Amino acid sequence: MLDEGRITQATANILMRSVDEAMDLVSSRPLCDWNSLQSNVYFPSYYRFLSASMLPQSFITYFTVQRLESGCYICAAFLRAHRIARRQLQDFLGDSEIAKIVIDESNAGGEEARKFLEEVRCTFPQLLCVLKTRQVTYAVLTHLSENVQNLWKTGLLEEKEMAHLDDAWQVVECLTCLLLRKLIAKVVSVHNSCQLITCQTDLKKLKRSPQLVKMPRVSDLLGAHPLVSMLPAAVRAPLLSNTKENVKGHGAALYMEGLRATGIWIVSIGAVKWRSQRLSSRHSLHPIFSHGSTLGLYEVLTGKSCLCDMITDSLVRCFFIEAEKIDQLRQSDPSVEAFLWQESAAVIAKLLIPRVFERMTMQETRLLVSTGSAMNLYTKGEDIILEHNYIGILLEGTLKAENQNNIVPPGVLLPSSMDLELLGLQSSEMNHMDSCSAANSYQVEAQAARVIIFEVGRLFTEANGQRNQPGGSFSAEALQLSMEESTGEEQVIITVDSTNKLPLGDSSSGVTRGS
């Protein structure tokens, strides 16, 4: 993180010292590297009054900026490092009891860091904007410098030209750090103010007059959400007129497991955490749905009770749409209904197979469902035979397999030869999970069954982020990148438009129909 420009040398020293102190106590105490960091991230209660007081600006700056700036960097780096370490530990030890204990200690240690960032976000939101701008600027300039080096290596630039451009980037970087430090001091009392610096011209504009960033309008937030933006204009307008805007604080419940679903939640800003008794979250290292998610849609489409608890993990700005409006939307056009099933499948996949799908962002999962899977409808009496390298998710209907009880949705369908460890499961756990079944074939018991099929090889290629390597599954035609650090952890959204869509019910879907 130091090499990437995420933290300063001073912050790195503080973090490494906390690790060294915790290592000395690791044999006798739980994880305690956060203990030595607490003195650096303390958020006094009077800071909330300073932000709204009539005190001189210089007085507020003296008491807040330097201390909070350092604390934000420490908390963000602490959370990110622990998240990476938890994943590496899980990959190395699997679902052992020791790994579970250590992971639980790691999650508990990060609660105070999340609370600190949430306090700063609510009290001085412009501070996080400026810190994020600094990190993004460093990443952009570093990327440009690497491109210049590559142009010189390939012979497109002479050494003098390369040195001149490299010096220019370094000058821009120094000016950026200087101006951002001044900007922090100037905008502490001005909420929602930040300037994204992308080139030297922007630096001059920023120095003359920092621009104010207004809160997005409701129509803009809804229009940018993937569910709404993909709907036809004829049905989109009536839907938007029936949405209810909500702002939920940290720890608020959107809905609870077992209750009747009354509508769907469109998350525009913030993050939501899920937990469930039936769908054990033990296999999930990061049970979070970020902005851009559509929650509760599957329950509305099927009429089932809520599958899990959805609890906000940060300040969340979201929109609620009643179930009756979704039913009307569903009946308006068969293509719209198919799209709604795909949107719901993206969430269900993350709930049922978290160890695979949590490695993808919500947009990457959505893309995989729409272009890298096959959603098939089967009639009563048909047999579903999965090849050894394909898995399915039952979304609707009832199935029957040999020597098993009726399989009800939602559930994972596996071929009998599937290696369960690939999905983060163990053979002994299959007997205790009613959401996962393995068999040679499945027979449809209900009038119809809806199943979405994934190829395992494609699934893990997407999860490991190898889609753009040679021989990948598709070629990207458009790519949009944005960053959000609502809880001190980075989230990258990638939107890719592709023409290589897998036809529904195609013979290449790895499924054999029988009767």
Side-chain angles (χ1 to χ4, degrees):
M1 284 185 276
L2 180 63
D3 293 337
E4 295 172 357
R6 293 179 178 274
I7 56 177
T8 63
Q9 183 68 54
T11 302
N13 291 337
I14 294 173
L15 290 165
M16 289 305 300
R17 186 167 61 250
S18 73
V19 174
D20 292 338
E21 293 176 1
M23 287 288 288
D24 295 336
L25 302 172
V26 71
S27 60
S28 58
R29 295 180 57 184
L31 286 179
C32 57
D33 51 331
W34 174 253
N35 294 348
S36 59
L37 298 176
Q38 289 179 326
S39 60
N40 297 282
V41 296
Y42 177 62
F43 191 96
S45 58
Y46 61 81
Y47 277 13
R48 302 184 186 92
F49 302 102
L50 285 176
S51 64
S53 69
M54 301 299 292
L55 294 173
Q57 181 64 49
S58 58
F59 180 82
I60 298 176
T61 301
Y62 177 80
F63 276 99
T64 59
V65 171
Q66 187 173 2
R67 188 183 187 94
L68 293 182
E69 178 186 4
S70 175
C72 288
Y73 280 133
I74 290 173
C75 288
F78 178 85
L79 290 170
R80 186 170 188 268
H82 269 261
R83 187 176 76 251
I84 295 172
R86 287 196 298 269
R87 177 158 293 167
Q88 292 175 343
L89 180 66
Q90 185 82 41
D91 292 341
F92 184 73
L93 294 181
D95 293 323
S96 68
E97 196 63 31
I98 295 176
K100 183 178 184 299
I101 293 173
V102 177
I103 288 172
D104 290 343
E105 292 177 358
S106 174
N107 285 321
E111 283 302 318
E112 291 191 33
R114 295 187 187 93
K115 290 179 181 177
F116 177 84
L117 289 172
E118 188 66 22
E119 289 277 6
V120 176
R121 180 183 178 86
C122 295
T123 310
F124 302 106
Q126 71 285 354
L127 181 61
L128 288 183
C129 290
V130 176
L131 297 182
K132 183 173 67 174
T133 299
R134 179 180 295 174
Q135 292 184 340
V136 172
T137 303
Y138 185 94
V140 170
L141 293 177
T142 302
H143 183 66
L144 291 174
S145 179
E146 292 174 353
N147 286 341
V148 170
Q149 294 283 346
N150 292 334
L151 290 174
W152 171 66
K153 291 177 182 178
T154 55
L156 296 178
L157 286 179
E158 296 181 0
E159 186 173 358
K160 292 182 179 180
E161 295 172 325
M162 184 272 295
H164 175 73
L165 289 172
D166 195 52
D167 289 342
W169 301 133
Q170 293 182 16
V171 170
V172 172
E173 182 179 339
C174 293
L175 287 174
T176 301
C177 293
L178 176 63
L179 290 175
L180 282 172
R181 184 166 293 276
K182 291 182 178 180
L183 178 61
I184 292 175
K186 290 181 180 180
V187 301
V188 168
S189 63
V190 183
H191 289 268
N192 304 314
S193 173
C194 68
Q195 170 70 23
L196 180 61
I197 303 173
T198 56
C199 63
Q200 196 169 7
T201 303
D202 290 333
L203 287 172
K204 295 178 181 178
K205 293 180 180 179
L206 176 62
K207 188 175 180 180
R208 289 196 300 266
S209 177
Q211 297 182 3
L212 296 178
V213 179
K214 298 180 180 179
M215 284 294 289
R217 294 181 300 179
V218 171
S219 58
D220 295 335
L221 286 174
L222 285 172
H225 193 279
L227 172 68
V228 179
S229 61
M230 292 298 292
L231 292 174
V235 298
R236 187 189 311 158
L239 186 68
L240 294 180
S241 63
N242 289 284
T243 59
K244 299 177 182 178
E245 182 183 10
N246 288 269
V247 177
K248 301 282 188 178
H250 183 277
L254 298 185
Y255 54 81
M256 304 298 289
E257 182 176 4
L259 298 182
R260 175 177 170 272
T262 58
I264 70 171
W265 293 89
I266 293 177
V267 181
S268 292
I269 298 175
V272 179
K273 195 175 203 174
W274 68 271
R275 63 190 182 199
S276 173
Q277 297 296 325
R278 180 196 171 203
L279 309 174
S280 174
S281 58
R282 176 187 175 191
H283 306 288
S284 178
L285 295 179
H286 194 57
I288 297 292
F289 286 99
S290 61
H291 57 281
S293 301
T294 306
L295 306 178
L297 179 58
Y298 175 78
E299 289 88 337
V300 170
L301 291 176
T302 58
K304 291 181 174 291
S305 57
C306 298
L307 299 176
C308 59
D309 300 339
M310 286 292 178
I311 310 296
T312 58
D313 200 46
S314 68
L315 185 69
V316 172
R317 191 177 183 187
C318 53
F319 300 89
F320 180 76
I321 304 177
E322 295 178 352
E324 292 77 8
K325 306 302 177 184
I326 299 300
D327 289 337
Q328 295 173 9
L329 178 67
R330 178 183 181 182
Q331 297 168 8
S332 63
D333 191 332
S335 63
V336 171
E337 181 180 12
F339 170 70
L340 293 177
W341 277 109
Q342 287 184 341
E343 182 72 11
S344 68
V347 174
I348 294 301
K350 282 183 171 288
L351 294 178
L352 296 183
I353 320 177
R355 286 287 298 277
V356 176
F357 283 95
E358 72 178 6
R359 301 181 187 181
M360 311 180 201
T361 65
M362 192 63 203
Q363 189 64 9
E364 290 172 331
T365 305
R366 187 180 283 114
L367 177 67
L368 178 64
V369 168
S370 62
T371 65
S373 67
M375 186 173 294
N376 299 327
L377 280 172
Y378 301 90
T379 57
K380 185 175 183 179
E382 276 193 278
D383 290 332
I384 306 173
I385 303 175
L386 295 173
E387 297 181 10
H388 71 281
N389 58 331
Y390 286 83
I391 63 173
I393 296 180
L394 175 64
L395 299 176
E396 189 180 28
T398 306
L399 303 180
K400 179 70 176 178
E402 187 177 356
N403 298 326
Q404 295 186 31
N405 296 327
N406 284 349
I407 302 170
V408 296
V412 180
L413 307 178
L414 306 175
S416 56
S417 58
M418 171 64 67
D419 182 4
L420 299 179
E421 293 185 0
L422 288 175
L423 304 178
L425 301 174
Q426 297 178 3
S427 300
S428 59
E429 297 171 341
M430 286 289 291
N431 298 328
H432 305 286
M433 296 181 61
D434 58 355
S435 60
C436 192
S437 305
N440 293 321
S441 65
Y442 303 89
Q443 188 176 62
V444 180
E445 290 286 307
Q447 292 299 320
R450 187 184 301 269
V451 180
I452 184 170
I453 308 296
F454 296 96
E455 182 186 358
V456 175
R458 170 75 179 271
L459 196 62
F460 282 93
T461 298
E462 299 294 318
N464 293 327
Q466 299 173 354
R467 71 182 61 80
N468 292 327
Q469 294 183 2
S473 307
F474 59 86
S475 59
E477 296 177 350
L479 184 145
Q480 177 185 0
L481 179 66
S482 67
M483 295 190 68
E484 174 72 24
E485 294 182 310
S486 59
T487 60
E489 301 178 69
E490 69 170 5
Q491 300 169 338
V492 180
I493 297 180
I494 300 179
T495 304
V496 182
D497 298 326
S498 173
T499 56
N500 300 338
K501 294 186 177 180
L502 184 63
L504 298 181
D506 192 279
S507 59
S508 62
S509 63
V511 184
T512 303
R513 291 175 179 263
S515 59

